[in-house]
Amino acid sequence: MDKKLERILPLVQKPARYTGGEYGEIQKDKSEVDLRMALCFPDTYEIGMSNTGMRILYQVLNDLPGVWCERVFAPWFDMDRQMREKGLPLYALESGDSLSEFDAIGFSLGYEMAYTTVLEMLDLAGIPLRSAERTSLTPLVFAGGRVCCNSEPMADFFDLMIIGEGESVDGEVLQLLREAKAAGWSKAEFFRRAALIGGVYVPSLYTPEYNADGTLKAMHAAPGAPERVTKRIVTDFENSCFPVDAIVPSTEIVHDRVGLELFRGCIRGCRFCQAGHIYRPVRSRSVEKCMEYGKESLAFSGYHEITLLSLSTSDYRGLNELCDGLMDYCESRGIGLSLPSLRADNFSMDIMQRVQKVRKSGLTFAPEAGTQRLRDVINKNVTEEDLLRSCAVAFQGGWNSVKLYFMLGLPTETDEDVLGIAELADRVVHCWRENSPNRSHGLRVTVSTSCFVPKPHTPFQWEPQVTREEYMRRVTLLRDNMKARAVTYNWHDADTSLTEAVLSRGDRRLGAMIENIWRQGGFLESWSEGFDLKRWERAAEEEGIFFPFYANRERSLDEVLPWDHLYMGVNRRHYIHEYEQAHQGLLSPDCRAQCSGCGAAAFLKGGRCDG
């Protein structure tokens, strides 16, 4: 261990974040590898080590011949300060080597509020922030993850960005980098060739042109670069990598358990949901494979809990069979099995009773809207009767804790829709009174609301976000009408939602503002300790950025959007159809009831998804 690090660790919170050496960590002989990759997560160790994508990529990249992939996480504020004061550069956990010594530096970007942390990590390693400032071939700095579906706000900082699922394309990028190193290519030559790899977006090869009103007129691709970059996906999900021997952290993390991924994509068509659209088509693992992976992961890790992961777990076709098989293994060993992402319209008490024999947890449902009219607008396909029926079954089974998640500010929302949330919570309380066999323990209903953020590649990508003032007015209206003592109301703050909306639908002009914010000390801004709206407003004013232009402005259906040249598999015609359906209050069937022809099935052999 570095002597500077030894002196720093006693001075910071949770020093185990920074030491490495965990069970399952991959160590390699440097003399036997010719390419070193730093897999970076722009948040703390506890968040990054809970990320399923990080675990998968770590395994996939280390399975490549001649490649050693190591992990790098953002230090907390105290550690960051100590590292700067003591002159200790940001380093990888496996080797302790500085980030600047690596050939490739890949960031996993799952949240827009992590952008300034990327800059902090690069600077802490002594690496120039902007791609144009890094003239040599290495280190190659790139990114992948959900938010890359709109790459423009961070386009100036990354050499390239992966569009789609990284495990399907990262190996090709690293192989090209290996060839480039051996042949002595210039960075420009590498960019030209990298742009020909499917799913690789090289921002420097694209030039935005703007209209006089500030909207985007066109995105011009350099000669040889594709006009549109199409995402890459894992087509054989059944046999794709699942790290059964994943690293077991030495300190507590957010999701301290085995996470078993059942399928990708979603059969539902919720019009606000970005993940449900960009991860199409649906691809599932068999019950047998899931059972095998789950048992092997538990045996290797020693965890006492396993959770079944997907965008909508109760939509997995073999859920009953899988739960039965896993419970045969888990119950005798005192291992808990949890099911997040349940839907009120297909909630199964039979499943819940089987999986919660070891430990019983609360129930969580996400109606999203307070009235049926608004649920139809967002295509939630869940009725009040569905929710109350599920609650009744749960209360009869002894449950006395329910969490309900909603959004405020959804398109076409009225005060009646807002008040509908309070009325629905009251009906859940009444349902408990009618169905609970033992009311001595009382009931706890937690209602949580967040502010709707319009996201790229969704039918609501053209919609405005309500202003902060309007959001807080609706919060106050709802809070004042929450009458039942059994109901607790929590709401997400409006400031971060506004900032997220700006970054979600931003263009390349936001890069200067992001750097300005970082230079003012902004990083780890997904944490309340790191976020400061005044800092964002100050930077926006200095860089000539008008927040309402990005967050609160309704876009026309024919406007060129900053992400139109990045194709996530769902065609524009489908988005427009769903947008129009929403404004007519019409539902669209899920993928199993009827194929919508969105275009995503074309990614799979035979043009048929697992929906």
Side-chain angles (χ1 to χ4, degrees):
M1 182 182 293
D2 186 283
K3 293 296 182 183
K4 292 178 181 177
L5 180 59
E6 284 186 6
R7 291 193 291 269
I8 288 174
L9 290 179
L11 305 176
V12 301
Q13 301 176 40
K14 302 182 180 180
R17 289 167 164 166
Y18 312 110
T19 57
E22 308 101 319
Y23 179 62
E25 174 187 271
I26 295 176
Q27 288 287 344
K28 295 188 178 182
D29 187 334
K30 293 182 195 178
S31 65
E32 296 179 359
V33 299
D34 60 358
L35 202 69
R36 298 186 65 189
M37 163 84 184
L39 183 58
C40 301
F41 195 87
D43 210 319
T44 62
Y45 178 91
E46 301 97 292
I47 304 296
M49 285 301 295
S50 300
N51 184 273
T52 301
M54 281 285 288
R55 292 172 178 257
I56 292 172
L57 288 173
Y58 184 75
Q59 184 69 60
V60 167
L61 294 171
N62 274 307
D63 283 346
L64 297 174
V67 174
W68 185 15
C69 176
E70 305 180 47
R71 297 161 297 142
V72 183
F73 301 99
W76 189 247
F77 301 102
D78 55 355
M79 183 64 172
D80 185 280
R81 184 171 54 254
Q82 290 293 330
M83 292 174 71
R84 289 190 179 279
E85 289 178 359
K86 303 298 190 299
L88 180 65
L90 187 62
Y91 59 90
L93 291 182
E94 280 75 6
S95 65
D97 291 342
S98 169
L99 198 56
S100 61
E101 298 181 31
F102 286 75
D103 300 297
I105 299 170
F107 283 87
S108 177
L109 288 177
Y111 185 33
E112 293 86 353
M113 298 305 294
Y115 287 164
T116 54
T117 307
V118 171
L119 306 190
E120 179 67 12
M121 293 174 73
L122 289 173
D123 186 72
L124 196 54
I127 297 172
L129 303 184
R130 293 179 174 260
S131 175
E133 299 168 343
R134 300 187 297 266
T135 55
S136 60
L137 179 64
T138 60
L140 178 74
V141 180
F142 66 103
R146 179 186 62 81
V147 299
C148 289
C149 69
N150 178 19
S151 299
E152 292 309 287
M154 291 293 285
D156 290 336
F157 305 107
F158 289 114
D159 297 326
L160 55 87
M161 302 177 95
I162 306 300
I163 310 302
E165 296 168 356
E167 68 259 54
S168 68
V169 64
D170 284 359
E172 294 178 38
V173 171
L174 294 185
Q175 178 55 35
L176 186 68
L177 182 59
R178 175 183 279 124
E179 294 175 17
K181 285 179 60 182
W185 295 351
S186 67
K187 191 174 183 180
E189 176 63 20
F190 174 80
F191 281 175
R192 284 192 291 272
R193 302 201 187 198
L196 301 179
I197 298 175
V200 172
Y201 175 53
V202 182
S204 61
L205 299 183
Y206 296 78
T207 304
E209 180 186 357
Y210 299 98
N211 294 306
D213 63 359
T215 58
L216 184 65
K217 182 177 182 179
M219 183 68 75
H220 301 287
E227 293 291 330
R228 184 173 75 169
V229 178
T230 299
K231 75 171 182 179
R232 289 278 293 276
I233 67 166
V234 173
T235 55
D236 183 10
F237 189 64
E238 169 76 356
N239 297 303
S240 65
C241 173
F242 182 83
V244 295
D245 53 354
I247 295 171
V248 181
S250 300
T251 186
E252 187 176 0
I253 61 175
V254 174
H255 300 305
D256 221 359
R257 54 183 178 259
V258 170
L260 180 61
E261 189 180 19
L262 307 183
F263 65 93
R264 288 191 190 163
C266 184
I267 67 168
R268 310 292 175 167
C270 297
R271 293 169 180 139
F272 60 85
C273 182
Q274 186 182 64
H277 288 88
I278 67 173
Y279 291 128
R280 294 185 180 195
V282 175
R283 292 146 291 151
S284 302
R285 281 198 178 100
S286 66
V287 169
E288 295 74 21
K289 187 72 78 171
C290 288
M291 208 118 54
E292 173 191 335
Y293 286 160
K295 293 176 183 178
E296 289 183 15
S297 298
L298 288 167
F300 178 84
S301 66
Y303 276 126
H304 284 269
E305 184 178 357
I306 180 171
T307 187
L308 306 184
L309 299 177
S310 70
L311 291 176
S312 181
T313 300
S314 49
D315 285 328
Y316 181 63
R317 291 184 188 273
L319 188 58
N320 284 7
E321 184 183 353
L322 176 60
C323 288
D324 282 343
L326 287 175
M327 280 311 300
D328 288 343
Y329 179 89
C330 294
E331 189 174 358
S332 62
R333 294 168 175 81
I335 297 172
L337 175 60
S338 60
L339 297 174
S341 307
L342 294 175
R343 286 180 57 92
D345 60 338
N346 59 9
F347 172 81
S348 169
M349 193 62 210
D350 182 44
I351 289 179
M352 293 304 294
Q353 287 176 334
R354 277 183 276 178
V355 304
Q356 302 217 35
K357 290 179 182 177
V358 177
R359 60 180 69 95
K360 182 178 288 189
S361 61
L363 293 174
T364 300
F365 297 110
E368 308 293 1
T371 64
Q372 194 58 49
R373 184 201 72 81
L374 192 53
R375 285 192 291 274
D376 289 349
V377 167
I378 65 176
N379 205 45
K380 185 63 183 178
N381 273 304
V382 169
T383 67
E384 181 176 306
E385 290 71 27
D386 291 330
L387 176 65
L388 294 179
R389 182 169 53 249
S390 295
C391 287
V393 171
F395 294 150
Q396 290 165 9
W399 268 260
N400 61 356
S401 175
V402 177
K403 293 181 180 179
L404 303 174
Y405 288 98
F406 300 87
M407 280 185 282
L408 293 178
L410 285 163
T412 79
E413 184 181 68
T414 66
D415 284 359
E416 183 180 349
D417 299 311
V418 175
L419 294 174
I421 297 174
E423 294 168 4
L424 187 55
D426 287 341
R427 292 190 184 105
V428 170
V429 173
H430 182 69
C431 178
W432 173 78
R433 290 179 182 143
E434 288 190 327
N435 291 279
S436 175
N438 183 0
R439 292 164 55 182
S440 61
H441 295 296
L443 170 69
R444 185 169 67 254
V445 178
T446 302
V447 172
S448 298
T449 62
S450 61
C451 184
F452 164 69
V453 177
K455 293 285 187 177
H457 302 285
T458 70
F460 286 164
Q461 62 185 352
W462 296 282
E463 297 284 357
Q465 183 185 57
V466 297
T467 64
R468 282 179 293 155
E469 294 74 19
E470 176 59 20
Y471 171 69
M472 289 310 302
R473 187 192 71 79
R474 298 184 195 192
V475 166
T476 302
L477 176 65
L478 180 54
R479 183 190 61 201
D480 292 347
N481 283 273
M482 288 287 190
K483 306 297 184 182
R485 286 185 295 177
V487 178
T488 300
Y489 176 40
N490 302 317
W491 61 91
H492 188 264
D493 79 279
D495 294 347
T496 53
S497 295
L498 167 66
T499 309
E500 183 184 341
V502 171
L503 295 175
S504 291
R505 298 198 294 178
D507 51 45
R508 200 169 295 199
R509 292 171 294 191
L510 295 190
M513 181 187 71
I514 293 169
E515 183 173 347
N516 185 317
I517 292 160
W518 169 76
R519 293 194 183 281
Q520 293 183 48
F523 70 101
L524 287 179
E525 293 187 291
S526 58
W527 298 81
S528 59
E529 295 92 333
F531 179 75
D532 181 356
L533 181 63
K534 288 185 172 56
R535 185 164 52 209
W536 281 84
E537 292 174 334
R538 186 164 56 245
E541 183 178 359
E542 291 173 358
E543 302 298 339
I545 300 298
F546 186 51
F547 273 20
F549 177 82
Y550 293 99
N552 310 125
R553 177 177 64 88
E554 183 177 1
R555 288 151 171 74
S556 65
L557 294 181
D558 60 355
E559 180 175 330
V560 178
L561 303 174
W563 51 89
D564 278 347
H565 60 301
L566 305 177
Y567 181 55
M568 300 304 294
V570 177
N571 58 59
R572 190 182 185 93
R573 175 178 47 79
H574 175 78
Y575 289 139
I576 292 176
H577 171 74
E578 288 300 304
Y579 172 89
E580 293 171 343
Q581 289 280 96
H583 282 272
Q584 296 175 53
L586 298 176
L587 288 168
S588 295
D590 66 55
C591 296
R592 286 182 185 161
Q594 179 183 321
C595 177
S596 65
C598 71
F603 283 82
L604 299 178
K605 187 176 181 180
R608 188 175 182 83
C609 70
D610 284 342

